[in-house]
């Protein structure tokens, strides 16, 4: 009885083919008919036509013959030969175009699912494209950047957006008037009608750097889409953005503006803590929040730790000056589904003193240690621990007569050093509980010089992190480290999935070079040193 080879089964062969490069797939197609039938579709699935790289074009005859297999097409530049731009792709699902006008005649609108346009020319003020896309029944996603939609075409564009599920607009100009009216908005966008769409379907909306309308106008436009589930909104300048959003969300006459909203991103909004807390309180179920470079503080932290503790999965509060170590510890305790937490630098002492929660937030202080709520779910933790360095040195110590009579009495410097080592051990012990961590970033971003951060030495408690079996990336940027060969051996033994380390590994340049060499020999990428090392 003959045994069938696994690669003779098209189902298995296809799974193998998913991991091959296009050049390898092309060679595999010539093995036999079974391999050809299985892999030819993957060879032609994605085609890229760049006007600045004509030598990379596929042969015209072959592209024409296999055009029915092309699912994803990217074109760049207006200098692509007409022989290529004239090809019609009957089964195209994703179409991306940059630095030229989109040629919709090459697309079968009945199969198009996603359209991306980058830096397209000013011909986009014509409503022809948007009217044509209204006849694309499968279209779900539209991404645009660096373009302008002007005049009457804005009406058609808004109607199209209501039919889609995802719209991403970055560095765009949306203006009811002409391009000569960029400094004046003759008609508020709130007057645009989308009555032709009975039930808007838009679930994800990204607005970044939109010109042609102010903050209130943008919000009025967003209110046309009550089905929003994810909102990413950046206004330049950002003054008043959060206040306007809060006012609309608290408007009882308007009811719950976005009842399904669960993902919110207001980065660089400079939003005040009070405004953020009011906004967060109005959201029923929050799973994703990013308010980087805002004034997120005790009020917002209290809402997150109480109202959204059981649902939040991704939280980014980096560069928020009012965030303290106590707040971060409280969030880690309360948020049971948290997968990613990104915050800035915090004092290690505040993080360890979990009962230090701002009294203004009326939070209940907890004096006893508690298990972290997300020990099994947290995958990424980015937090910079700062440790207060002793202001005394051994040469600065002043010994009194009584000190001289007691040779075994600890000096202030020694006590400070012992306290520092104790806090280091305590931080490592708490981090060891997050057994699912894949990314750990304890580097201190934005630091102008090397800081006294978490010290990754076995003598400081690093060995407690042997529980982090899934760790793949470690960031130590801008922190004072003294990793030696003993720590390298330990890393090889316990962190077998680690493939990247960022930052300096030792303040001594020679030892830093030696440690890097040892790690690199075991296929661990150590990025170039950040910050000076000491000779």
């Amino acid at each position: 009885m003959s045994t069938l080879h696994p690669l003779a089964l098209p189902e298995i062969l296809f799974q193998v083919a998913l991991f091959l490069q296009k050049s390898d797939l092309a060679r595999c197609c010539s093995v036999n008919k079974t391999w050809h039938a299985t892999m030819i579709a993957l060879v032609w699935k994605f085609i890229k036509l760049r006007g600045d790289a004509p030598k990379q074009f596929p042969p015209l005859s072959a592209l024409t013959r296999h055009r029915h297999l092309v699912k994803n097409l990217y074109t760049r530049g207006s200098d692509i030969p007409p022989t290529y731009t004239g090809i019609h792709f009957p089964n195209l699902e994703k179409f991306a175009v940059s630095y030229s006008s989109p040629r919709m005649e090459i697309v079968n609108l009945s199969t198009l699912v996603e359209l991306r346009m980058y830096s397209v020319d000013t011909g986009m003020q014509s409503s022809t494209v948007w009217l044509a896309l209204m006849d694309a029944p499968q279209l779900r996603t539209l991404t645009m950047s660096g373009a302008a939609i002007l005049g009457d075409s804005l009406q058609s564009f808004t109607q199209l957006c209501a039919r889609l599920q995802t719209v991403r607009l970055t560095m765009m100009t949306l203006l009811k008037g002409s391009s000569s009216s960029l400094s004046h908005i003759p008609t508020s966008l709130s007057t645009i009608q989308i009555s032709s769409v009975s039930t808007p379907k838009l679930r994800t909306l990204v607005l970044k750097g939109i010109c042609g309308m102010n903050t209130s106008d943008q919000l009025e436009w967003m209110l046309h889409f009550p089905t929003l589930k994810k909102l990413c909104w950046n206004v330049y300048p950002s003054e008043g953005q959060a206040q306007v959003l809060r006012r609309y969300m608290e408007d009882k006459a308007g009811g719950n503006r976005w009842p399904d909203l669960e993902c919110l991103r207001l980065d660089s909004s400079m939003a005040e803590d009070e405004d953020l807390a009011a906004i967060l309180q109005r959201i029923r179920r929050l799973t994703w929040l990013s308010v980087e470079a805002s004034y997120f503080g005790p009020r917002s932290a209290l809402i997150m730790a109480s109202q959204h503790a059981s649902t939040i999965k991704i939280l980014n509060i980096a560069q928020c000056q009012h965030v303290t170590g106590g707040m971060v510890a409280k969030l880690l305790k309360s948020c049971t589904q948290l997968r990613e937490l990104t915050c800035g630098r915090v004092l290690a002492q505040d993080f360890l003193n979990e009962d230090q929660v701002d009294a203004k937030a009326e939070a209940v202080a907890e004096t006893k240690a508690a298990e972290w709520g997300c020990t099994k779910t947290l995958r990424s933790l980015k937090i910079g621990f700062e440790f207060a360095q002793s202001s005394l040195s051994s040469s600065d110590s002043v010994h009194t007569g009584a000190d001289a009579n007691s040779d075994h009495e600890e000096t202030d410097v020694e006590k400070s050093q012992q306290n520092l080592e104790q806090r280091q051990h305590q931080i490592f012990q708490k981090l060891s509980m997050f057994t699912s961590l894949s990314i750990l970033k304890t580097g201190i971003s934005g630091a102008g010089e090397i800081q006294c951060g978490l010290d990754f030495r076995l003598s400081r408690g690093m060995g407690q992190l042997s529980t982090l079996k899934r760790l793949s990336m470690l960031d130590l940027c801008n922190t004072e480290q003294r990793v030696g060969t003993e720590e390298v051996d330990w890393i090889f033994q316990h962190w077998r999935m680690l493939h990247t380390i960022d930052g300096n590994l030792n303040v001594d340049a020679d030892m830093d070079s030696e440690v890097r060499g040892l790690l690199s020999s075991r296929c661990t990428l150590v990025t170039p040193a950040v910050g000076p090392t000491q000779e």
Side-chain angles (χ1 to χ4, degrees):
M1 182 177 178
S2 60
T3 302
L4 185 64
H5 194 280
L7 292 181
L9 296 173
E11 296 83 1
I12 295 181
L13 185 61
F14 180 79
Q15 295 300 320
V16 173
L18 293 176
F19 294 90
L20 300 180
Q21 300 292 330
K22 181 173 289 190
S23 57
D24 298 326
L25 289 170
R27 286 192 291 269
C28 289
C29 287
S30 61
V31 173
N32 55 45
K33 291 183 178 180
T34 301
W35 283 43
H36 182 275
T38 303
M39 299 188 180
I40 190 64
L42 294 176
V43 173
W44 294 98
K45 182 178 181 180
F46 174 57
I47 296 298
K48 182 184 296 186
L49 301 176
R50 294 175 56 105
D52 57 351
K55 294 183 178 180
Q56 299 179 8
F57 286 8
L60 180 61
S61 58
L63 180 59
T64 304
R65 187 168 63 255
H66 297 97
R67 59 193 176 92
H68 64 285
L69 298 176
V70 179
K71 304 290 186 179
N72 191 342
L73 176 65
Y74 172 70
T75 64
R76 177 185 174 91
S78 57
D79 50 351
I80 300 175
T83 52
Y84 281 88
T85 58
I87 300 176
H88 178 72
F89 300 92
N91 298 312
L92 195 65
E93 297 177 356
K94 298 181 180 181
F95 182 32
V97 56
S98 61
Y99 299 101
S100 66
S101 297
R103 298 177 60 90
M104 301 310 298
E105 61 271 16
I106 72 175
V107 180
N108 182 1
L109 294 177
S110 63
T111 62
L112 188 63
V113 176
E114 180 179 350
L115 176 62
R116 292 174 291 149
M117 294 182 283
Y118 308 102
S119 301
V120 293
D121 60 31
T122 54
M124 294 306 298
Q125 69 184 72
S126 171
S127 61
T128 305
V129 174
W130 313 124
L131 292 175
L133 290 173
M134 294 288 282
D135 295 327
Q138 304 298 323
L139 187 62
R140 298 289 182 269
T141 302
L142 173 65
T143 301
M144 293 190 66
S145 177
I149 302 175
L150 312 174
D152 295 337
S153 62
L154 191 56
Q155 174 80 36
S156 303
F157 175 75
T158 304
Q159 293 177 357
L160 174 66
C161 289
R163 297 168 59 101
L164 305 178
Q165 293 183 0
T166 300
V167 173
R168 303 184 186 95
L169 307 178
T170 306
M171 306 306 293
M172 294 279 297
T173 297
L174 304 180
L175 190 64
K176 188 71 179 293
S178 62
S179 58
S180 60
S181 308
L182 291 178
S183 60
H184 174 66
I185 302 177
T187 305
S188 173
L189 286 177
S190 61
T191 63
I192 295 176
Q193 302 297 321
I194 59 172
S195 56
S196 60
V197 182
S198 57
T199 55
K201 301 178 181 179
L202 193 64
R203 305 291 285 174
T204 300
L205 179 62
V206 178
L207 295 179
K208 293 184 178 182
I210 303 299
C211 299
M213 53 178 166
N214 58 30
T215 302
S216 297
D217 285 329
Q218 292 185 41
L219 187 54
E220 288 280 1
W221 189 61
M222 291 189 295
L223 292 177
H224 284 305
F225 313 115
T227 56
L228 280 183
K229 187 175 181 179
K230 179 178 180 179
L231 174 62
C232 178
W233 188 29
N234 292 92
V235 180
Y236 306 105
S238 60
E239 277 188 45
Q241 176 186 2
Q243 292 92 325
V244 173
L245 181 58
R246 174 186 178 181
R247 184 171 67 249
Y248 276 82
M249 296 189 75
E250 290 183 334
D251 183 7
K252 295 182 179 179
N256 195 330
R257 301 288 186 170
W258 298 298
D260 299 326
L261 188 66
E262 61 179 48
C263 301
L264 180 63
R265 183 169 184 173
L266 299 174
D267 292 338
S268 303
S269 63
M270 305 299 291
E272 295 292 339
D273 186 32
E274 182 179 357
D275 295 323
L276 282 176
I279 293 171
L280 297 176
Q281 195 169 18
R282 289 285 175 175
I283 300 177
R284 294 178 180 176
R285 181 179 183 272
L286 193 63
T287 62
W288 185 77
L289 176 66
S290 181
V291 287
E292 185 173 335
S294 70
Y295 292 104
F296 182 100
R299 295 173 183 261
S300 302
L302 180 61
I303 298 297
M304 293 301 301
S306 55
Q307 182 173 332
H308 303 296
S310 62
T311 59
I312 189 69
K313 296 180 179 179
I314 300 176
L315 179 59
N316 181 0
I317 48 176
Q319 300 182 46
C320 296
Q321 300 177 3
H322 294 171
V323 171
T324 65
M327 292 180 196
V328 176
K330 181 70 174 178
L331 290 169
L332 287 171
K333 275 187 177 182
S334 306
C335 301
T336 57
Q337 300 299 318
L338 198 60
R339 296 180 182 176
E340 298 180 19
L341 175 61
T342 302
C343 53
R345 61 177 73 181
V346 299
L347 291 177
Q349 188 62 43
D350 290 344
F351 183 81
L352 294 172
N353 294 338
E354 299 163 11
D355 57 338
Q356 292 186 3
V357 181
D358 198 314
K360 295 181 180 180
E362 300 179 0
V364 178
E366 296 183 7
T367 57
K368 61 180 180 179
E371 288 290 333
W372 303 112
C374 52
T375 55
K376 303 298 183 183
T377 61
L378 197 65
R379 303 289 190 272
S380 173
L381 178 60
K382 301 177 182 179
I383 177 173
F385 292 106
E386 282 189 313
F387 294 83
Q389 292 176 304
S390 173
S391 59
L392 296 175
S393 64
S394 58
S395 59
D396 297 325
S397 301
V398 178
H399 299 278
T400 63
D403 293 330
N405 295 330
S406 180
D407 295 334
H408 300 291
E409 184 177 356
E410 294 178 330
T411 65
D412 289 340
V413 174
E414 291 171 339
K415 290 180 179 180
S416 177
Q417 184 66 21
Q418 287 182 353
N419 290 334
L420 174 61
E421 292 183 9
Q422 183 181 14
R423 290 195 295 271
Q424 295 266 355
H425 276 272
Q426 291 173 335
I427 292 292
F428 278 122
Q429 190 273 332
K430 290 183 177 295
L431 293 179
S432 68
M433 298 179 185
F434 301 109
T435 55
S436 297
L437 269 184
S438 175
I439 299 174
L440 177 59
K441 178 178 180 180
T442 61
I444 302 177
S445 59
E449 57 185 18
I450 299 299
Q451 303 289 316
C452 180
L454 194 58
D455 190 345
F456 279 74
R457 280 185 288 176
L458 293 174
S459 60
R460 293 299 175 92
M462 173 187 172
Q464 298 178 82
L465 299 187
S466 60
T467 55
L468 309 186
K469 302 298 184 182
R470 302 179 182 179
L471 193 66
S472 61
M473 179 179 177
L474 179 65
D475 187 319
L476 308 175
C477 290
N478 296 320
T479 59
E480 184 177 302
Q481 299 296 330
R482 290 178 174 81
V483 176
T485 55
E486 185 180 3
E487 282 76 24
V488 172
D489 292 337
W490 183 92
I491 289 174
F492 289 154
Q493 181 179 355
H494 296 282
W495 291 346
R496 298 187 178 183
M497 297 183 66
L498 186 68
H499 58 69
T500 303
I501 300 179
D502 290 337
N504 291 317
L505 300 178
N506 199 298
V507 293
D508 180 84
D510 292 335
M511 179 57 69
D512 182 75
S513 178
E514 180 181 350
V515 170
R516 287 171 178 273
L518 291 173
L519 289 168
S520 300
S521 67
R522 296 288 293 269
C523 300
T524 301
L525 174 64
V526 185
T527 59
V530 179
T533 56
Q534 300 175 359
E535 294 293 342

